[in-house]
Amino acid sequence: MTVTDILLSGVVGSTAYGLAHEDSDVDRLGVFAAPTETLHGLRGPKESHVTTAPDRTLHEAAKWCRLALGGNPTVMELVWLPEELYEVRTPLGDELIGIRSTLLGARRVRDAYLGYATQQFRKLRSRAGDPVGLRRTAKHARHLKRLCTQGYELYATGRLTIRVEDPGSYHAFGERAAADPSTALPLLRHFEEAFDATPGVLPEQPDERAAEAWLRRVRRHFYTADGS
């Protein structure tokens, strides 16, 4: 299905982080607006469209906002990308980038990023001793390190740097942890303690008013009286 009215879209994932291999997939993420009239019926429009070849995930504007307000690390990437990684930018998309800081809340950022990192550690342990899945296991470890590092930066400074510093250290960490998952635990514990010891700059909860106002502008923009 062709998705129209894409407001913002760009390249995310390993390519954006600077961690891609030669054969890595190129992942894309975007936000689109459903026609406002379709929200009024018994069954609303589909909120997410996920495709492979190409690998692309598109979230409807309201769903994207809910995920972002919850601190979801994956959707949060979209509004912090380097300029050259955006493939679609509309005025409403630029507005969304403009309110990105209001979407942040200290507790939700901490819980989301550390929660996702902990999931990666569990996947590491579940794959221990699996030589066939060694490359994927290393990827889990790299994501664990990235989530901890990026999440802490966002929590402590209110800013998110997508491209990691020293990609080689992430690949080396991934190889070590793939061979022995227990070596990843000290890093996870270190960042748990760092979060707890850092006051940070974020408010305790995000300010939903800016997201609500933006979403209402989107609904007005895509409303037509005849439903066309």
Side-chain angles (χ1 to χ4, degrees):
M1 177 179 177
T2 301
V3 180
T4 59
D5 297 326
I6 297 175
L7 307 178
L8 191 66
S9 179
V11 175
V12 295
S14 297
T15 302
Y17 311 143
L19 296 174
H21 291 287
E22 289 182 2
D23 57 350
S24 293
D25 295 326
V26 177
D27 299 312
R28 290 174 169 84
L29 176 67
V31 56
F32 72 96
T36 304
E37 280 289 317
T38 66
L39 304 172
H40 298 164
L42 182 62
R43 294 179 178 85
K46 189 174 181 179
E47 286 196 303
S48 295
H49 295 270
V50 180
T51 61
T52 56
D55 294 313
R56 184 176 74 164
T57 298
L58 296 171
H59 295 304
E60 208 284 320
K63 181 176 181 179
W64 189 94
C65 286
R66 292 195 300 270
L67 290 170
L69 288 165
N72 182 284
T74 303
V75 302
M76 194 61 68
E77 292 177 27
L78 182 61
V79 288
W80 294 92
L81 290 176
E83 295 290 329
E84 67 272 14
L85 293 182
Y86 285 109
E87 297 180 324
V88 176
R89 287 187 68 162
T90 66
L92 284 166
D94 283 337
E95 287 184 29
L96 188 59
I97 294 172
I99 65 168
R100 62 191 180 185
S101 294
T102 68
L103 306 173
L104 304 173
R107 182 182 297 275
R108 295 182 188 181
V109 166
R110 179 194 184 280
D111 290 350
Y113 277 84
L114 283 180
Y116 273 66
T118 299
Q119 288 179 17
Q120 297 300 316
F121 181 67
R122 289 173 181 157
K123 290 177 180 179
L124 266 175
R125 289 196 303 185
S126 70
R127 289 180 173 272
D130 176 14
V132 178
L134 197 62
R135 188 164 184 175
R136 180 160 291 278
T137 305
K139 184 176 181 179
H140 291 316
R142 292 195 299 272
H143 282 317
L144 186 158
K145 179 178 171 71
R146 175 189 58 79
L147 286 160
C148 287
T149 303
Q150 290 182 334
Y152 180 72
E153 179 196 21
L154 190 59
Y155 177 86
T157 70
R159 296 194 60 81
L160 178 61
T161 303
I162 299 297
R163 198 172 300 278
V164 305
E165 291 185 7
D166 191 10
S169 69
Y170 284 77
H171 287 292
F173 177 80
E175 297 302 321
R176 289 196 304 272
D180 180 3
S182 67
T183 62
L185 187 58
L187 182 136
L188 182 59
R189 294 290 180 253
H190 165 76
F191 276 99
E192 288 173 345
E193 294 171 3
F195 272 97
D196 290 340
T198 303
V201 300
L202 301 180
E204 185 64 13
Q205 299 293 337
D207 182 358
E208 295 186 0
R209 292 173 296 180
E212 179 74 21
W214 176 81
L215 190 57
R216 289 180 180 275
R217 289 194 294 276
V218 170
R219 299 307 184 216
R220 286 195 296 270
H221 185 82
F222 291 98
Y223 174 78
T224 54
D226 60 2
S228 60

